[in-house]
């Protein structure tokens, strides 16, 4: 993390640099004009993690600055949302004089929402006891006067939830209100306002779709819920059990009736579709009844494996969201043999860093 680079005055210039770099990276694929979706220049992150430094009676947050090759005290953090910055100050004031809560505390994680909830995870190099629970309960009560807060304590092989281990985000997507359960220690998009732009772009890119949608790597159903309106049915896969549970919760609270979630990896699902193997998790699901002309993928940074790429090439339209331009480029070497890029987008999820979130819509040649 280069903290000195986080200057809102430099935001437009760094976004322009990303635009040029992304256009150059994918020039050989002859994509259409790049659609660029900017972030807020400050207070855009809904998640933040800080290490804790104990110095005598003092206790403070810090991050490691690669440019300085040193730790930097962070009483406030420009990228983090307003509620996180407010909580940072209120929390440290109550933790510092409390031996039971600060003893061997080495990290604090924050997960917040645009709708006002915040989850605080306290991580320790010791086992947590009844005294910790009692003091943490009193801490939550004090903070609740100002915040809609929940607190979690974590230690090796130990997790204590004082109430719940998730928040529920509320997003206005094309004036439609969508709700998302986001679980502590599970993946969520960090930049909520850019996430809304991503959802709106994906809805627009698939607005004239026919038939059903197949989605791989669906996570907590972030895109699944938003895209369901454009298809007769959606069949979505995800391997991580907490994410599957959250996705099913989100389907229910958003009253979506045309989505089926399957707990499977993309690789196993590719084998099932190719009739290579049979899976008990697919009992009662008639894969052949789905008329999927469109497939949506949002893979991890490693990209998509060769067998799944073969599966993807069988669909008329491919919507691909990527958090890693390098693996997207590699995957497009295969996908571009059968498909052409008809939409191309940059979503600035991570301002002031080299990370780029991008999206492509590919249609069969």
């Amino acid at each position: 993390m280069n903290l000195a680079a986080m200057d809102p005055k430099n935001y437009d210039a760094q976004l322009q640099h990303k635009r040029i770099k992304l256009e150059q990276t994918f020039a050989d694929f002859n994509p259409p004009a790049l659609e660029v979706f900017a972030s807020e220049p400050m207070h855009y992150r809904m998640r933040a993690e800080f290490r804790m430094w104990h110095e005598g009676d003092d206790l403070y947050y810090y991050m490691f600055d690669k440019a300085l090759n040193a730790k930097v005290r962070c009483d406030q953090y420009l990228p983090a949302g307003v509620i996180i910055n407010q909580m940072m100050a209120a929390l440290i004031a109550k933790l510092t004089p409390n031996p039971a809560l600060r003893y061997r505390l080495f990290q604090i994680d924050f997960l917040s929402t645009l709708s006002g909830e915040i989850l605080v995870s306290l991580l320790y190099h010791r086992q947590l006891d009844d005294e910790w629970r009692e003091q943490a309960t009193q801490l939550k009560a004090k903070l609740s006067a100002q915040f809609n807060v929940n607190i979690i304590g974590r230690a090796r092989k130990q997790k204590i939830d004082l109430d719940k281990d998730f928040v529920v985000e509320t997003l206005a997507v094309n004036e439609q209100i969508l709700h998302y359960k986001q679980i502590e220690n599970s993946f969520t998009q960090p930049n909520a306002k850019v996430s809304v732009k991503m959802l709106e772009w994906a809805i627009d890119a698939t607005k004239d779709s026919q038939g059903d949608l197949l989605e791989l790597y669906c996570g907590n159903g972030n895109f699944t819920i938003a895209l369901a309106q454009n298809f007769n049915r959606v069949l979505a896969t995800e391997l991580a059990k907490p994410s599957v549970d959250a996705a099913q919760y989100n389907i229910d609270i958003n009253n979506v009736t045309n989505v089926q979630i399957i707990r499977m990896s993309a690789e196993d699902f590719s084998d099932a579709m190719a009739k290579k193997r049979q899976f008990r998790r697919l009992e009662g699901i008639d894969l052949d009844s789905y008329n999927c002309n469109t497939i949506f993928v949002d893979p991890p940074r490693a990209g998509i494996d060769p067998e799944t790429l073969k599966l993807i090439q069988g669909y008329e339209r491919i919507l691909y969201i990527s958090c890693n331009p390098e693996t997207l480029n590699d995957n497009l070497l295969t996908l571009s043999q059968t498909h052409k890029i008809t939409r191309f987008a940059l979503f600035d999820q991570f301002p002031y860093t080299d990370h780029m979130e991008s999206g492509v819509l590919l249609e069969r040649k």
Side-chain angles (χ1 to χ4, degrees), residues 88-354:
M88 288 174 69
L91 182 63
I92 205 73
K94 292 176 172 55
L95 289 176
T96 300
N98 191 316
L101 293 178
R102 66 174 286 173
Y103 178 59
R104 305 207 71 180
L105 172 69
F106 74 92
Q107 182 170 318
I108 298 180
D109 300 345
F110 299 99
L111 173 62
S112 66
T113 68
L114 293 176
S115 46
E117 285 189 63
I118 186 164
L119 185 63
V120 178
S121 299
L122 306 176
L123 283 63
Y124 292 86
H125 284 313
R126 66 176 174 95
Q127 292 298 289
L128 305 180
D129 53 19
D130 289 342
E131 183 183 10
W132 181 90
R133 182 187 288 272
E134 180 181 348
Q135 292 297 319
T137 300
Q138 294 180 23
L139 173 65
K140 180 182 184 301
K142 293 174 183 176
L143 292 173
S144 293
Q146 183 181 354
F147 302 96
N148 183 1
V149 60
N150 285 292
I151 294 176
I152 291 176
R154 280 191 174 274
R156 189 172 183 269
K157 297 183 179 180
Q158 188 180 25
K159 176 183 174 184
I160 298 178
D161 303 334
L162 295 186
D163 186 3
K164 59 182 183 179
D165 66 348
F166 65 89
V167 294
V168 177
E169 178 64 284
T170 299
L171 302 177
V173 180
N174 290 331
E175 300 182 353
Q176 180 184 10
I177 302 300
L178 300 178
H179 306 285
Y180 292 100
K181 180 180 184 180
Q182 299 179 343
I183 301 173
E184 182 254 4
N185 216 30
S186 295
F187 175 78
T188 57
Q189 295 285 1
N191 192 324
K193 290 185 178 179
V194 172
S195 294
V196 169
K197 296 177 182 181
M198 293 171 68
L199 294 174
E200 291 177 343
W201 180 84
I203 291 169
D204 185 64
T206 58
K207 63 184 176 183
D208 298 322
S209 299
Q210 302 294 322
D212 304 323
L213 172 69
L214 173 63
E215 179 184 0
L216 307 181
Y217 321 96
C218 77
N220 72 344
N222 184 47
F223 284 94
T224 320
I225 303 300
L227 291 176
Q229 62 189 286
N230 284 348
F231 298 90
N232 295 332
R233 292 189 295 169
V234 179
L235 181 64
T237 71
E238 169 58 43
L239 180 60
K241 188 177 186 302
S243 294
V244 172
D245 293 342
Q248 192 58 59
Y249 179 98
N250 294 334
I251 289 169
D252 295 339
I253 62 173
N254 287 287
N255 298 313
V256 177
T257 59
N258 63 336
V259 172
Q260 172 74 55
I261 301 286
I262 302 172
R263 189 183 169 213
M264 293 185 76
S265 69
E267 293 82 359
D268 283 349
F269 187 79
S270 297
D271 286 349
M273 291 294 288
K275 304 292 194 289
K276 292 182 178 180
R277 299 164 59 193
Q278 292 185 336
F279 295 87
R280 294 182 62 183
R281 290 176 181 176
L282 292 176
E283 289 180 2
I285 298 175
D286 183 4
L287 295 180
D288 294 332
S289 71
Y290 282 85
N291 178 29
C292 298
N293 298 315
T294 304
I295 185 168
F296 173 67
V297 291
D298 183 5
R301 290 189 61 79
I304 300 172
D305 66 279
E307 288 302 312
T308 305
L309 279 176
K310 291 180 183 178
L311 169 70
I312 290 171
Q313 284 184 292
Y315 293 83
E316 292 296 314
R317 300 203 298 174
I318 305 164
L319 189 63
Y320 190 142
I321 297 291
S322 170
C323 61
N324 187 344
E326 291 184 8
T327 53
L328 174 60
N329 194 300
D330 289 343
N331 290 164
L332 286 176
L333 292 174
T334 298
L335 298 177
S336 64
Q337 296 170 9
T338 52
H339 292 70
K340 63 179 180 180
I341 301 175
T342 57
R343 296 282 294 268
F344 184 32
L346 166 64
F347 309 100
D348 198 19
Q349 273 276 353
F350 305 95
Y352 313 113
T353 74
D354 293 330

